[in-house]
Amino acid sequence: MNRIEQKLQEDKKILSIYFSAGYPNLNDTVQIIQDLEKSGIDMIEIGLPFSDPLADGPTIQASSTTALHNGMTSQILFDQLKDIRKTVSIPLVIMGYFNPMLQYGVEAFCAKCAEIGIDGLIIPDLPVDVYADEYKATFDKYGLINIFLITPQTSEERIRFIDSVSSGFIYMVSSASVTGSSAGFGSTQEDYFKRIANMQLKNPQVIGFGINNAETFNQATQYAKGAIIGSAFITHLKENGSSKIADFVKTIR
């Protein structure tokens, strides 16, 4: 069983952290991952920097730009992570846009992920129907879970299709805005969380966008299996460097 599926079976709410690989410094990636696991994080999303990150808000865009300036590439990330499973056991997901994967070669990219122990991918600009028709067999071959995003505007029909071709979890975007732009959840978002929960999907949901403290983490996980924090953690890295990671995690739970 994939590590993501194993983690989701645990009787607890999942806290996942996103950060941009190669930020704040090119060679911080492995230390940040190790420190996050030691701090009790359940899952980590490693952002593969890209020059045109459509879904990312200003905080993540800035960290991605810095990482690119630092020299981060797909190959450098793979080289950094080649021994990661000697020290880290929690699920690791690479989140990035499809173009760098296409440039690397989709099968070669998937093979490399499997070789170093990556459990899944999140590719916001890869449509689910294109994935199902052209790439699902390759992902399955290498034991990789591809995680899809839904938003409040995603139709019920499309959500059910995503659920049917998915495993692991569905990434539930809390609002239609970019990352890092929300401050707490209002009744509209709570109604959306309840609506999706009531659909009784086969895959659990993990909520992202707008989770930045204990209050929003607890709000989100009332209705979902877990929550993802990105911009707030990157702000912490900007202010503190790669130290004091445990202090940040303690503010969430």
Side-chain angles (χ1 to χ4, degrees):
M1 186 184 287
N2 185 290
R3 291 181 195 91
I4 295 170
E5 293 168 317
Q6 289 177 330
K7 180 61 67 174
L8 291 165
Q9 286 186 357
E10 293 181 11
D11 185 21
K12 64 186 294 192
K13 296 297 185 178
I14 301 300
L15 174 56
S16 181
I17 293 283
Y18 168 96
F19 75 100
S20 299
Y23 179 86
N25 302 298
L26 180 63
N27 294 314
D28 286 340
T29 310
V30 169
Q31 189 65 55
I32 289 172
I33 292 169
Q34 291 170 336
D35 289 350
L36 283 169
E37 181 175 50
K38 287 173 191 168
S39 301
I41 293 303
D42 299 299
M43 183 161 50
I44 299 171
E45 294 171 20
I46 306 159
L48 181 59
F50 182 53
S51 56
D52 191 21
L54 299 175
D56 297 328
T59 301
I60 291 177
Q61 279 196 25
S63 71
S64 186
T65 299
T66 298
L68 289 171
H69 288 161
N70 289 343
M72 180 52 70
T73 65
S74 299
Q75 190 57 57
I76 287 174
L77 178 59
F78 288 143
D79 291 343
Q80 288 180 348
L81 297 179
K82 68 182 189 298
D83 295 321
I84 195 68
R85 285 303 175 194
K86 292 179 180 177
T87 57
V88 172
S89 61
I90 60 174
L92 299 176
V93 175
I94 289 180
M95 183 170 185
Y97 292 85
F98 195 49
N99 187 268
M101 298 175 194
L102 210 52
Q103 296 292 323
Y104 196 91
V106 175
E107 177 139 11
F109 194 95
C110 290
K112 201 68 184 174
C113 285
E115 178 188 320
I116 63 178
I118 297 298
D119 303 293
L121 296 170
I122 302 172
I123 313 167
D125 60 341
L126 176 60
V128 62
D129 33 12
V130 174
Y131 165 75
D133 291 343
E134 298 182 30
Y135 300 110
K136 186 176 188 301
T138 303
F139 278 62
D140 290 348
K141 175 181 174 182
Y142 292 102
L144 294 170
I145 287 176
N146 195 27
I147 296 150
F148 290 97
L149 285 70
I150 63 170
T151 75
Q153 282 68 43
T154 308
S155 69
E156 178 171 343
E157 180 184 19
R158 193 159 185 83
I159 291 170
R160 294 205 181 277
F161 178 60
I162 287 171
D163 191 42
S164 72
V165 300
S166 294
S167 56
F169 66 92
I170 291 173
Y171 188 133
M172 194 169 151
V173 176
S174 66
S175 68
S177 61
V178 296
T179 58
S181 60
S182 180
F185 298 127
S187 58
T188 302
Q189 285 162 314
E190 291 209 4
D191 289 345
Y192 160 58
F193 298 162
K194 290 176 190 173
R195 174 168 61 85
I196 302 302
N198 289 336
M199 286 178 68
Q200 300 290 304
L201 302 174
K202 74 179 175 77
N203 290 287
Q205 299 88 58
V206 179
I207 296 176
F209 292 43
I211 318 289
N212 49 35
N213 54 27
E215 181 186 1
T216 45
F217 176 77
N218 291 331
Q219 260 188 300
T221 54
Q222 278 185 348
Y223 306 101
K225 177 62 178 175
I228 301 157
I229 295 177
S231 298
F233 180 65
I234 288 171
T235 298
H236 177 84
L237 290 177
K238 180 180 179 183
E239 293 172 354
N240 299 280
S242 55
S243 65
K244 301 184 180 176
I245 285 175
D247 293 346
F248 175 82
V249 176
K250 285 174 188 168
T251 67
I252 309 301
R253 67 173 186 193

